[in-house]
Amino acid sequence: MLLFILTPMILWWVVACGYPLVYGIFLGFFEMYDVTQDPVFIGLANFKNFFTDVSYLKELWNTVWIGFASTILINIAGLLVAVALNSVKKLKGFYRSVWYIPAVTSSVAITQIFGIIFDPVTGIVNQILTSRGLDAVSLDSNYGLAVAVILLYTVWKSAGSSAIVWLAGLQSIDKRLYEAASLDGASKWKKFTSVTLPSLKPIAVYIIITGIIDDIKPIDIFSIDSVYAYGMKLLLIERMKKFDMENGKSSYHMIYDTILGENK
């Protein structure tokens, strides 16, 4: 019975994820620049090039650590929002909708807004800085600012979705646990650390794992050309996308696509 229920999901994974993943790894053993040329088997040369290319490894490291940092910040923000929403007595639906709006807003619209704000010439941030006699900033030459913008974007867009899941977990906690804690004289902070957090462990495992999977992958903001020019090339995915647009997808770059899950 369980196998019958899981069969559609397994088939979907095989078709949409499993086959592209395996095929991407397979292409990594060949040298092939376009469909007009026959692929040439070169063994592990592509893999060796990837793990010895300092520039690609640096961008891969940026992609990984920024993805993990995004997951941590998103879940902290989401948990705090969920705790606040759980204590709201009136207009619960309204506040939940407000926090969830960024998650369903078009990524294209959001990235265009970020482009307007952080444009190195006409951006709102630089206009404010220059009006106060300060130097303008550019994401293209400011690593720290570029990373901050990336984290700001991901947290703002994903915190609402995280909050909804955390909120479901909070509402599933047995109220009798809080009553018992109150009888023992526990403070609000003690209840949170001794009752709330331990009860949220199953939710935490799910949301952190899925969050890492999502956040370590290419982020929507980096696929928009108007944002790419503003320092987002510090991530591996942007080098890949630029190369693919200029030269076509080679088997060498299928290695990077496979590592970041772009073959799905």
Side-chain angles (χ1 to χ4, degrees):
M1 184 62 182
L2 179 60
L3 181 61
F4 176 78
I5 296 174
L6 294 178
T7 296
M9 184 182 299
I10 294 174
L11 291 177
W12 169 254
W13 185 89
V14 170
V15 174
C17 302
Y19 171 74
L21 177 63
V22 174
Y23 188 61
I25 296 174
F26 172 75
L27 290 179
F29 293 98
F30 294 85
E31 187 62 88
M32 179 178 62
Y33 281 96
D34 58 61
V35 295
T36 63
Q37 300 178 2
D38 293 331
V40 179
F41 181 78
I42 57 174
L44 296 174
N46 283 330
F47 296 89
K48 180 180 178 181
N49 289 339
F50 174 82
F51 288 106
T52 56
D53 190 325
V54 176
S55 61
Y56 278 106
L57 289 177
K58 181 179 179 180
E59 292 164 356
L60 178 61
W61 166 244
N62 285 333
T63 301
V64 171
W65 87 258
I66 290 175
F68 274 92
S70 298
T71 301
I72 294 172
L73 294 176
I74 287 170
N75 283 288
I76 292 175
L79 179 57
L80 294 177
V81 171
V83 171
L85 291 176
N86 197 42
S87 62
V88 172
K89 302 300 182 182
K90 296 181 180 180
L91 300 177
K92 289 185 178 181
F94 171 76
Y95 289 115
R96 292 175 189 176
S97 299
V98 168
W99 277 102
Y100 195 69
I101 284 175
V104 296
T105 302
S106 169
S107 297
V108 175
I110 298 176
T111 49
Q112 294 304 315
I113 293 173
F114 270 71
I116 293 172
I117 296 174
F118 295 102
D119 189 286
V121 179
T122 61
I124 296 175
V125 170
N126 280 331
Q127 288 183 3
I128 295 175
L129 292 175
T130 54
S131 67
R132 296 180 179 274
L134 301 175
D135 294 332
V137 296
S138 173
L139 301 185
D140 194 47
S141 58
N142 192 321
Y143 177 87
L145 182 59
V147 171
V149 172
I150 294 170
L151 295 177
L152 175 63
Y153 172 88
T154 54
V155 172
W156 182 79
K157 184 169 177 60
S158 303
S161 300
S162 175
I164 296 300
V165 179
W166 284 118
L167 183 61
L170 287 172
Q171 294 179 342
S172 67
I173 299 175
D174 193 341
K175 298 298 187 291
R176 290 175 295 182
L177 296 176
Y178 291 107
E179 294 174 359
S182 298
L183 292 175
D184 290 337
S187 62
K188 289 184 178 181
W189 175 251
K190 190 65 176 179
K191 291 178 183 178
F192 180 74
T193 56
S194 299
V195 178
T196 303
L197 291 182
S199 300
L200 289 175
K201 283 184 180 179
I203 295 292
V205 172
Y206 164 79
I207 199 171
I208 290 175
I209 291 177
T210 56
I212 291 174
I213 293 173
D214 289 338
D215 296 331
I216 208 171
K217 289 181 180 180
I219 309 172
D220 295 335
I221 190 172
F222 312 127
S223 63
I224 308 301
D225 292 338
S226 62
V227 179
Y228 166 78
Y230 307 152
M232 302 310 175
K233 57 182 177 291
L234 59 89
L235 295 185
L236 179 61
I237 184 59
E238 278 312 318
R239 182 193 288 256
M240 290 161 47
K241 287 185 178 296
K242 186 177 181 181
F243 182 93
D244 293 342
M245 289 187 291
E246 293 178 352
N247 304 291
K249 182 170 290 189
S250 71
S251 57
Y252 180 44
H253 284 72
M254 291 300 292
I255 301 296
Y256 313 129
D257 289 350
T258 301
I259 291 175
L260 290 184
E262 273 288 275
N263 285 318
K264 296 199 295 293

